[in-house]
mmCIF file of all heavy atoms in Angstrom:
data_model
loop_
_atom_site.group_PDB
_atom_site.id
_atom_site.type_symbol
_atom_site.label_atom_id
_atom_site.label_comp_id
_atom_site.label_asym_id
_atom_site.label_seq_id
_atom_site.Cartn_x
_atom_site.Cartn_y
_atom_site.Cartn_z
ATOM 1 N N SER A 31 -15.745 -2.518 6.623
ATOM 2 C CA SER A 31 -16.936 -2.126 7.374
ATOM 3 C C SER A 31 -16.631 -1.851 8.855
ATOM 4 O O SER A 31 -17.448 -1.250 9.535
ATOM 5 C CB SER A 31 -18.011 -3.209 7.265
ATOM 6 O OG SER A 31 -17.548 -4.419 7.814
ATOM 7 N N SER A 32 -15.486 -2.264 9.326
ATOM 8 C CA SER A 32 -15.110 -2.066 10.724
ATOM 9 C C SER A 32 -14.757 -0.597 10.978
ATOM 10 O O SER A 32 -14.042 0.027 10.195
ATOM 11 C CB SER A 32 -13.904 -2.947 11.070
ATOM 12 O OG SER A 32 -13.233 -2.482 12.207
ATOM 13 N N LYS A 34 -12.757 0.459 13.187
ATOM 14 C CA LYS A 34 -11.297 0.539 13.379
ATOM 15 C C LYS A 34 -10.578 0.695 12.042
ATOM 16 O O LYS A 34 -9.629 1.474 11.923
ATOM 17 C CB LYS A 34 -10.787 -0.703 14.110
ATOM 18 C CG LYS A 34 -11.196 -0.771 15.560
ATOM 19 C CD LYS A 34 -10.671 -2.035 16.217
ATOM 20 C CE LYS A 34 -11.103 -2.111 17.677
ATOM 21 N NZ LYS A 34 -10.587 -3.327 18.343
ATOM 22 N N GLY A 41 -6.964 8.120 9.141
ATOM 23 C CA GLY A 41 -5.680 8.600 9.665
ATOM 24 C C GLY A 41 -4.600 8.597 8.599
ATOM 25 O O GLY A 41 -3.752 9.499 8.549
ATOM 26 N N GLN A 44 -5.224 11.580 6.407
ATOM 27 C CA GLN A 44 -4.845 12.795 7.139
ATOM 28 C C GLN A 44 -3.324 12.940 7.190
ATOM 29 O O GLN A 44 -2.786 14.033 6.997
ATOM 30 C CB GLN A 44 -5.427 12.754 8.557
ATOM 31 C CG GLN A 44 -5.059 13.947 9.418
ATOM 32 C CD GLN A 44 -5.628 15.256 8.904
ATOM 33 O OE1 GLN A 44 -6.696 15.283 8.321
ATOM 34 N NE2 GLN A 44 -4.918 16.344 9.121
ATOM 35 N N SER A 54 -0.505 15.744 -5.086
ATOM 36 C CA SER A 54 0.439 14.621 -5.054
ATOM 37 C C SER A 54 -0.009 13.499 -4.127
ATOM 38 O O SER A 54 0.744 12.555 -3.903
ATOM 39 C CB SER A 54 1.817 15.125 -4.624
ATOM 40 O OG SER A 54 2.322 16.052 -5.560
ATOM 41 N N LEU A 58 -5.943 6.301 -1.069
ATOM 42 C CA LEU A 58 -7.359 6.095 -1.372
ATOM 43 C C LEU A 58 -8.219 6.111 -0.120
ATOM 44 O O LEU A 58 -7.801 5.631 0.933
ATOM 45 C CB LEU A 58 -7.543 4.754 -2.086
ATOM 46 C CG LEU A 58 -6.755 4.573 -3.371
ATOM 47 C CD1 LEU A 58 -6.956 3.162 -3.915
ATOM 48 C CD2 LEU A 58 -7.139 5.619 -4.406
ATOM 49 N N MET A 68 -10.003 -3.613 -6.614
ATOM 50 C CA MET A 68 -9.209 -3.536 -5.383
ATOM 51 C C MET A 68 -9.478 -4.753 -4.498
ATOM 52 O O MET A 68 -10.618 -5.216 -4.399
ATOM 53 C CB MET A 68 -9.583 -2.280 -4.583
ATOM 54 C CG MET A 68 -9.393 -0.969 -5.303
ATOM 55 S SD MET A 68 -7.681 -0.526 -5.593
ATOM 56 C CE MET A 68 -7.067 -0.430 -3.950
ATOM 57 N N THR A 69 -8.422 -5.213 -3.838
ATOM 58 C CA THR A 69 -8.552 -6.215 -2.780
ATOM 59 C C THR A 69 -7.879 -5.624 -1.558
ATOM 60 O O THR A 69 -6.733 -5.167 -1.639
ATOM 61 C CB THR A 69 -7.881 -7.546 -3.173
ATOM 62 O OG1 THR A 69 -8.419 -7.979 -4.423
ATOM 63 C CG2 THR A 69 -8.123 -8.610 -2.112
ATOM 64 N N PHE A 70 -8.572 -5.639 -0.436
ATOM 65 C CA PHE A 70 -8.089 -4.983 0.780
ATOM 66 C C PHE A 70 -7.957 -6.005 1.902
ATOM 67 O O PHE A 70 -8.834 -6.841 2.095
ATOM 68 C CB PHE A 70 -9.082 -3.879 1.195
ATOM 69 C CG PHE A 70 -8.660 -3.111 2.409
ATOM 70 C CD1 PHE A 70 -7.789 -2.045 2.315
ATOM 71 C CD2 PHE A 70 -9.130 -3.480 3.668
ATOM 72 C CE1 PHE A 70 -7.401 -1.338 3.448
ATOM 73 C CE2 PHE A 70 -8.748 -2.782 4.794
ATOM 74 C CZ PHE A 70 -7.879 -1.709 4.687
ATOM 75 N N VAL A 80 -3.617 -3.792 13.503
ATOM 76 C CA VAL A 80 -2.210 -3.392 13.491
ATOM 77 C C VAL A 80 -1.766 -2.816 12.149
ATOM 78 O O VAL A 80 -0.714 -2.198 12.062
ATOM 79 C CB VAL A 80 -1.279 -4.544 13.923
ATOM 80 C CG1 VAL A 80 -1.586 -4.954 15.366
ATOM 81 C CG2 VAL A 80 -1.356 -5.736 12.993
ATOM 82 N N GLY A 93 -0.120 -5.597 -11.093
ATOM 83 C CA GLY A 93 -0.843 -5.104 -9.933
ATOM 84 C C GLY A 93 -0.130 -3.933 -9.293
ATOM 85 O O GLY A 93 1.049 -3.680 -9.560
ATOM 86 N N MET A 98 -0.842 0.882 2.050
ATOM 87 C CA MET A 98 -0.006 0.270 3.084
ATOM 88 C C MET A 98 0.027 1.220 4.279
ATOM 89 O O MET A 98 0.450 2.361 4.155
ATOM 90 C CB MET A 98 1.412 0.046 2.557
ATOM 91 C CG MET A 98 1.530 -1.019 1.499
ATOM 92 S SD MET A 98 1.447 -2.676 2.189
ATOM 93 C CE MET A 98 2.902 -2.701 3.210
ATOM 94 N N HIS A 104 2.072 0.318 16.416
ATOM 95 C CA HIS A 104 2.765 -0.888 15.970
ATOM 96 C C HIS A 104 3.859 -0.619 14.945
ATOM 97 O O HIS A 104 4.308 -1.532 14.254
ATOM 98 C CB HIS A 104 1.739 -1.893 15.428
ATOM 99 C CG HIS A 104 0.832 -2.391 16.495
ATOM 100 N ND1 HIS A 104 1.179 -3.409 17.344
ATOM 101 C CD2 HIS A 104 -0.387 -1.964 16.897
ATOM 102 C CE1 HIS A 104 0.199 -3.604 18.210
ATOM 103 N NE2 HIS A 104 -0.758 -2.731 17.958
ATOM 104 N N LEU A 105 4.316 0.632 14.880
ATOM 105 C CA LEU A 105 5.392 0.973 13.962
ATOM 106 C C LEU A 105 6.673 0.250 14.343
ATOM 107 O O LEU A 105 6.944 -0.007 15.518
ATOM 108 C CB LEU A 105 5.631 2.485 13.974
ATOM 109 C CG LEU A 105 4.481 3.338 13.457
ATOM 110 C CD1 LEU A 105 4.772 4.812 13.685
ATOM 111 C CD2 LEU A 105 4.218 3.055 11.992
ATOM 112 N N GLY A 108 7.515 -4.817 12.158
ATOM 113 C CA GLY A 108 7.437 -5.763 11.058
ATOM 114 C C GLY A 108 6.054 -5.948 10.463
ATOM 115 O O GLY A 108 5.859 -6.819 9.619
ATOM 116 N N ALA A 110 4.261 -3.912 8.421
ATOM 117 C CA ALA A 110 4.228 -3.567 6.996
ATOM 118 C C ALA A 110 4.924 -4.639 6.158
ATOM 119 O O ALA A 110 4.452 -4.990 5.076
ATOM 120 C CB ALA A 110 4.862 -2.201 6.760
ATOM 121 N N ILE A 117 0.774 -9.412 0.134
ATOM 122 C CA ILE A 117 0.348 -8.844 -1.145
ATOM 123 C C ILE A 117 1.171 -9.430 -2.294
ATOM 124 O O ILE A 117 0.619 -9.788 -3.342
ATOM 125 C CB ILE A 117 0.432 -7.301 -1.109
ATOM 126 C CG1 ILE A 117 -0.634 -6.749 -0.152
ATOM 127 C CG2 ILE A 117 0.284 -6.702 -2.505
ATOM 128 C CD1 ILE A 117 -0.516 -5.265 0.143
ATOM 129 N N ILE A 118 2.468 -9.557 -2.113
ATOM 130 C CA ILE A 118 3.327 -10.140 -3.150
ATOM 131 C C ILE A 118 2.910 -11.588 -3.428
ATOM 132 O O ILE A 118 2.808 -11.993 -4.599
ATOM 133 C CB ILE A 118 4.814 -10.051 -2.741
ATOM 134 C CG1 ILE A 118 5.273 -8.589 -2.727
ATOM 135 C CG2 ILE A 118 5.687 -10.899 -3.672
ATOM 136 C CD1 ILE A 118 6.634 -8.367 -2.081
ATOM 137 N N ILE A 123 0.048 -15.526 -6.987
ATOM 138 C CA ILE A 123 -1.050 -16.487 -7.153
ATOM 139 C C ILE A 123 -1.946 -16.064 -8.314
ATOM 140 O O ILE A 123 -2.406 -16.898 -9.099
ATOM 141 C CB ILE A 123 -1.869 -16.621 -5.842
ATOM 142 C CG1 ILE A 123 -1.047 -17.352 -4.785
ATOM 143 C CG2 ILE A 123 -3.211 -17.313 -6.084
ATOM 144 C CD1 ILE A 123 -1.636 -17.304 -3.384
ATOM 145 N N THR A 133 4.970 6.024 -3.966
ATOM 146 C CA THR A 133 5.111 6.497 -2.595
ATOM 147 C C THR A 133 5.739 7.883 -2.629
ATOM 148 O O THR A 133 6.136 8.368 -3.689
ATOM 149 C CB THR A 133 5.919 5.502 -1.724
ATOM 150 O OG1 THR A 133 5.792 5.877 -0.345
ATOM 151 C CG2 THR A 133 7.387 5.454 -2.117
ATOM 152 N N ALA A 142 9.381 3.622 4.299
ATOM 153 C CA ALA A 142 8.594 2.870 3.313
ATOM 154 C C ALA A 142 9.459 2.509 2.113
ATOM 155 O O ALA A 142 9.459 1.350 1.662
ATOM 156 C CB ALA A 142 7.384 3.688 2.867
#
Side-chain angles (χ1 to χ4, degrees):
S31 62
S32 160
K34 290 179 181 181
Q44 178 65 32
S54 297
L58 303 176
M68 301 291 299
T69 305
F70 182 84
V80 297
M98 291 284 296
H104 294 278
L105 295 173
I117 291 171
I118 292 169
I123 289 169
T133 192

